[in-house]
Structure formats: structure tokens, C-alpha cells
Amino acid sequence: MSMERETVIVLDFGGQYNQLIARRVRENNVYCEIYSYKTDLAQIKAKHPKGIILTGGPNSCYAPGAPSCDPEIFTWGVPILGICYGAQLMMRLLGGTVEHAQEREYGQTLVHVDNSCALFEGVQPDTICEMSHNDYITKMADGFAIAAHTDNCPLAAAQDAARKLYALQFHPEVLHTLEGKKMLHNFVYGICRCKGDWKMDDFVDTTVTALRKEIGDGKVLCALSGGVDSSVLAALLAKAVGKQLTCVFVDHGLLRKNEMEEVCKVFGPGNGNFDVNFICVDARERYFSKLAGVNEPERKRKIIGEEFIRVFEEQAKKIGKVDYLAQGTIYPDVVESGLGGESTVIKSHHNVGGLPDTVDFKELIEPLRTLFKDEVRQAGRELGLPEYIVNRQPFPGPGLAIRIIGEVTPEKVAIVQDADAIWREEIAKAGLDKKISQYYAALTNMRSVGVMGDERTYDYAVALRAVTTTDFMTAESYNVPWDVLGVVTSRIVNEVKHVNRVFYDCTGKPPATIEFE
Ligand code: XMP
């Protein structure tokens, strides 16, 4: 499958935008994978890439021990686009000079481009680009010519059209570079000569066929959380093998309002969408009794994780031996766990740890492991999942337990569910749902005096959170208009019992986290 598919490779030098570059390429219907700069050239060649993009990175390419790559990469004939560090490294390895600059060039900058360069075809001659560099290319390698400059910097882009080597000091992958998408489009189509064979309907069809072949008449088990990834996974497997699939959905009582019903509506028996074996386990009481008196967030996480394994194990025992366990691993998980690119951050909390060890199965299947989140959503749409599932907000495994400060009780869960539903409804009504990466309501453990009618109250404060982020590693609080906050506040204090104050969390990550635990 992958042998025939056009592939562009992103060679990762530790830049913060590595995943963004790959996503931008895929938005152009060209499949793209990320590899660490340490990857053997032979391994890269074996992928038959149509082009290679060298990413930015935090280092100076002339520093001792700085990340580098095999210079042969520039001579075996594949088109190369170097971005920032990638551009400087290419120049240096080919005989140019890179030096530290007196002044750092940073932020949105007016760039004058040469439209005869294939990378800039159709781009405005004066265009805004995002710069972020301390080092400059002071002497180009032989064969290169300047293709863009700024008022301060004679070399913002360079090309060696004969060898199809392109160097950009700025970042075409970020939206601050207004015509960056066009430049990347020009690279993959104009320069790499891709045709654009990466399409979601094809992905669904080929994956369904491949899953049928792999699974045969075997039995598959899937833990369904109701989140986007596991729902798309279940839908894909349902389409491939129908009743050979059993989905286990654990209602731990810490779900968002109506979530259990929404999942049952899609996957439950008699609902017609997907004809699979569906088990909904009502584990609310056991979770609440385990969580009684527990305040500490890490402890809550542990208890919920362990209890999940126990519940799942019991179900698996009833089902008996299965051949395959399906997991909703997606591409960012693969990259972040260090298997793909250079990123060293490991988000271990993202998957249910330990599960594969406790269930009796032959093999693990992870059909979404090449997809980015937006592609998973697209695949979900192709499979006929409703928008309320496909567009679900990220929701942590431990659920509302980590959006309630202090002890978790059914009463507190009900408060946060109701407040959260109002917040989500109003965000959508205001048309902000596509602009904000993640938003939810949390329950602070603080109670304070208020007045309602003529009566004194002593009730909880709800915290509203809304952040924007590209990678969930860092985030900024979203500037929600005051009138929207006003409407939400008055609805919450009027409609949700035991709430008499509403706060808005203005903190970014760092120093806070996205969740509120
Ligand atoms: P934090 O709070 O660490 O969250 O800034 C970053 C992103 O990860 C999500 N998150 C989780 N997702 N299991 C998950 O599947 C978890 O235990 C978990 N904890 C945090 C969080 O919602 C945010 O999108």
C-alpha cells in the first residue's frame, strides 16, 4: 500500500512545527511522514519519497555536535526544501557559510520574493512571512541564487533550481506566513511533481479491505471511550468486520452530559448505524465508591486507570479469547512517543496504560496510526459518524474527575456536567467552537457567600476554560467576548443549582495546564 503511495518526508531537527509541516503537506492530499534527522539515509531512500523537507530546530548548525544529516541527501536527486535550521544546515553542508547575527529577526516580516522561483509561483511579490532566527546564511553554497530578501536581510530564500534544492529562512507552515500554504503547495506539486493521491475516502476503502484480509474470521475487541479516535476506530472496524467486533464502553459516571446516551445511540443495539456487539458497562457506583474521600489529582487518575483495567478485564473474561485488540493510536501519539520524529516529549497519559497485558489476545491492531486528528475526523465523516461525535472536544480518560477540584461526588459531577453543557452550547451559538481548541467547565472546590432572591447562599464557583493551541504542549487562554461570558454566567447561576459564582481562567500553559485538576 505505502509503496505505491506518493510520500513526502519531513526530516525533523527538533523544530516545534514538525507536525504542522506534515499536516500542511497532507492538506495538499500528499501523504507525509516524519522521521528523526538521525534516520539512516538508506531507510529514507527505501520510502521512495517524492520530496524531503528539513525542519527548523533550536540549535546553530555550526555548534559542535549540532544535528546534521548525510550530505548525500542533497545529491541523490530528490527535491529538498530546507526551512530555517534546515535551510542553514543545507547551505553549510554544501559549502556555504552560516553565522550568528547581531540582531535576531523575529515575527511577521515583509519579504520580497522572486516570482520566477518555482516555490513562489503565484505568490504576491511582497508578502508577509514569519521569521524566527538568530543565525543567517552569509554565503550561499555554489549553484544557489537568492530567491527572496527582506529590508534587513539580503537572503530570505535561495534556490538551486537545477538540483531542486530550496532554502527558506522563514516558516511557510505557520499561518503567520500569509502565503505559506501556496509555497508548500508549489513545493509538493510544482517541484516534487506529486499528483495528490492521499484522500480520506481512499484511506477508508483501502483500510477496510486491508482489515478484512488481516482479521479474516477472527474476533476483535475494542475499548470504546466515546471520544473521536475510539469512535472512528470502532466505525472502521464495524464496516470491515461487523459482528466479529465487540465494543466495550465503560460508563464510569465521569462523562459529559448525555455522552453515554450519545454513544449508545450510535453503537448500541437496534440503532442501525453500526451492527456490532456493544457492551455498555454501568460502573458508576464502583467508581464513586473508590473515589470517595480522595482529593489528590494523581491519586484520582491512578484509581480511575486501575479501575478501568479491572472493569475491562472482567468483560474480556466473559467474552473469552479474542484474536485482536484494537487501539485508537493516532499519528501524533506515534511521533510524541519518540517513534517518529525527534520530539522527546512523551505523553504517557494518553493511552490506557497496561491494557494489552491484561487481555488475552493475539495481536494489536492500530489502523489509525498514520492519521492526524483532523484526518481521523474526516475518516469518521466518511464512515457516517454524526458530527457530535466527529467534532468532540478532547476529553481526558479520567473524565470529569480531573475537572473537579477536591473530592469527586455524584452531586459535583452533576453540577459540572450542567455548567459544561451550557458553556458548550453558548460557545457553539457564538460561532466560536471552530476557533477554540478546547473548552470546558470545571468545578472549583471553593464555596462562598452569595444572595439569591432574598436568601443567603453558600455555593460553589464554576471555572470556565477555553484555550487555543496547536500541539497541546503549550496553550493560550482564548479571548472570549465579554457578552458571551455574560450570557453563560447568568445561565449557569440561574440554571445550575448550587453555583453562585462563575470565573474565567485567563491562564496559559505554562504555567497552568489545559486541564484543571
Ligand atoms: P494538560 O492538562 O496536560 O492537557 O495540559 C493536555 C491535553 O491532554 C489532554 N489530557 C488527557 N488526555 N488522558 C487523555 O486521553 C488523560 O489522562 C489526559 N490528561 C490530559 C487534555 O484534555 C488536553 O487536551
Side-chain angles (χ1 to χ4, degrees):
M1 193 160 82
S2 61
M3 284 302 285
E4 307 149 22
R5 197 162 54 203
E6 299 173 332
T7 302
V8 165
I9 284 181
V10 166
L11 206 56
D12 182 10
F13 289 92
Q16 53 178 327
Y17 301 127
N18 56 11
Q19 292 196 24
L20 197 53
I21 300 171
R23 268 175 51 197
R24 291 273 179 265
V25 172
R26 289 198 194 182
E27 279 166 16
N28 279 298
N29 298 115
V30 173
Y31 184 67
C32 183
E33 286 186 344
I34 304 169
Y35 290 94
S36 160
Y37 71 90
K38 293 176 193 145
T39 311
D40 250 10
L41 186 57
Q43 207 183 323
I44 289 170
K45 281 184 175 177
K47 294 266 163 192
H48 305 289
K50 302 284 280 187
I52 296 177
I53 301 178
L54 313 180
T55 75
N59 303 69
S60 284
C61 64
Y62 47 77
S68 189
C69 61
D70 188 335
E72 198 198 322
I73 202 168
F74 304 114
T75 54
W76 65 284
V78 69
I80 304 235
L81 173 64
I83 296 175
C84 202
Y85 182 88
Q88 296 158 4
L89 180 72
M90 171 159 68
M91 281 299 174
R92 189 176 150 87
L93 288 175
L94 291 172
T97 315
V98 176
E99 287 174 71
H100 188 73
Q102 296 300 335
E103 257 178 70
R104 182 165 182 235
E105 199 174 22
Y106 183 77
Q108 286 187 299
T109 310
L110 186 65
V111 175
H112 314 288
V113 306
D114 171 359
N115 287 112
S116 71
C117 171
L119 211 48
F120 300 131
E121 204 187 304
V123 171
Q124 296 291 322
D126 298 321
T127 186
I128 301 285
C129 301
E130 177 75 4
M131 293 283 183
S132 172
H133 58 116
N134 294 316
D135 291 339
Y136 281 84
I137 296 163
T138 45
K139 183 177 148 279
M140 285 186 292
D142 287 347
F144 279 87
I146 287 178
H149 65 278
T150 69
D151 295 338
N152 294 324
C153 169
L155 194 158
Q159 63 165 336
D160 179 339
R163 285 193 286 176
K164 296 198 174 171
L165 304 178
Y166 297 84
L168 295 180
Q169 279 284 13
F170 55 85
H171 289 273
E173 69 277 19
V174 300
L175 293 177
H176 283 166
T177 296
L178 301 186
E179 294 181 272
K181 282 187 180 181
K182 196 174 278 171
M183 297 170 196
L184 287 170
H185 182 276
N186 286 342
F187 180 66
V188 294
Y189 287 100
I191 296 165
C192 300
R193 300 272 166 217
C194 290
K195 293 188 199 69
D197 64 2
W198 175 244
K199 306 225 170 73
M200 252 331 110
D201 50 345
D202 284 353
F203 170 85
V204 168
D205 289 345
T206 7
T207 309
V208 163
T209 311
L211 283 169
R212 280 190 189 137
K213 200 163 153 221
E214 183 180 357
I215 296 167
D217 56 7
K219 281 213 277 182
V220 189
L221 182 60
C222 165
L224 183 61
S225 72
V228 181
D229 304 344
S230 72
S231 300
V232 174
L233 172 71
L236 196 59
L237 285 161
K239 183 162 183 196
V241 297
K243 276 268 195 272
Q244 287 161 252
L245 171 69
T246 302
C247 296
V248 176
F249 175 71
V250 178
D251 179 4
H252 50 24
L254 306 162
L255 300 165
R256 284 164 290 195
K257 193 172 183 175
N258 298 331
E259 194 162 7
M260 193 266 282
E261 292 79 4
E262 285 171 358
V263 173
C264 291
K265 203 161 118 194
V266 176
F267 292 100
N271 284 317
N273 285 31
F274 298 101
D275 191 20
V276 298
N277 299 303
F278 176 79
I279 302 171
C280 177
V281 189
D282 182 355
R284 287 176 295 181
E285 292 217 343
R286 30 195 301 192
Y287 274 89
F288 282 124
S289 70
K290 281 261 149 68
L291 287 168
V294 179
N295 289 292
E296 213 269 311
E298 274 306 303
R299 187 80 206 107
K300 289 187 209 169
R301 280 177 174 277
K302 277 240 159 61
I303 290 172
I304 292 165
E306 281 167 12
E307 200 59 16
F308 182 84
I309 291 174
R310 221 153 286 149
V311 174
F312 197 78
E313 222 170 14
E314 288 169 16
Q315 293 302 322
K317 247 186 222 137
K318 283 189 205 157
I319 296 164
K321 188 170 169 55
V322 293
D323 302 285
Y324 300 93
L325 182 73
Q327 267 198 340
T329 315
I330 70 170
Y331 198 51
D333 302 332
V334 176
V335 176
E336 277 157 22
S337 62
L339 300 172
E342 193 42 36
S343 170
T344 48
V345 190
I346 298 172
K347 277 201 201 163
S348 57
H349 63 231
H350 270 225
N351 288 315
V352 189
L355 197 54
D357 292 341
T358 63
V359 181
D360 192 9
F361 68 100
K362 230 170 41 194
E363 238 171 283
L364 195 63
I365 39 178
E366 302 176 299
L368 306 178
R369 67 180 280 126
T370 56
L371 301 191
F372 282 112
K373 195 78 177 190
D374 42 347
E375 295 174 316
V376 176
R377 294 188 207 278
Q378 229 175 305
R381 284 189 195 100
E382 294 286 338
L383 287 158
L385 284 173
E387 279 302 308
Y388 63 76
I389 289 205
V390 166
N391 271 329
R392 272 243 207 282
Q393 283 281 298
F395 190 62
L400 298 177
I402 58 165
R403 292 179 181 174
I404 292 172
I405 305 299
E407 188 187 10
V408 178
T409 64
E411 295 72 34
K412 285 187 184 173
V413 168
I415 294 174
V416 78
Q417 277 177 336
D418 288 342
D420 182 65
I422 293 171
W423 180 222
R424 283 193 280 144
E425 197 183 310
E426 292 299 331
I427 291 259
K429 229 189 256 170
L432 298 173
D433 48 337
K434 297 268 157 28
K435 296 186 180 151
I436 305 175
S437 313
Q438 190 167 351
Y439 51 94
Y440 64 86
L443 190 66
T444 74
N445 208 21
M446 187 201 88
R447 291 205 291 166
S448 65
V449 174
V451 53
M452 188 79 131
D454 288 331
E455 276 187 42
R456 176 187 185 275
T457 57
Y458 186 60
D459 279 330
Y460 285 106
V462 158
L464 303 177
R465 187 126 176 84
V467 298
T468 50
T469 172
T470 47
D471 57 7
F472 294 87
M473 312 278 180
T474 61
E476 285 99 51
S477 173
Y478 186 80
N479 189 354
V480 176
W482 194 246
D483 54 337
V484 178
L485 290 172
V487 170
V488 175
T489 301
S490 83
R491 279 197 61 191
I492 290 177
V493 293
N494 281 305
E495 295 173 36
V496 186
K497 277 214 177 83
H498 304 300
V499 177
N500 65 2
R501 275 174 212 267
V502 175
F503 295 149
Y504 187 68
D505 186 347
C506 304
T507 331
K509 170 186 179 177
T513 60
I514 293 175
E515 292 297 342
F516 194 117
E517 57 189 303

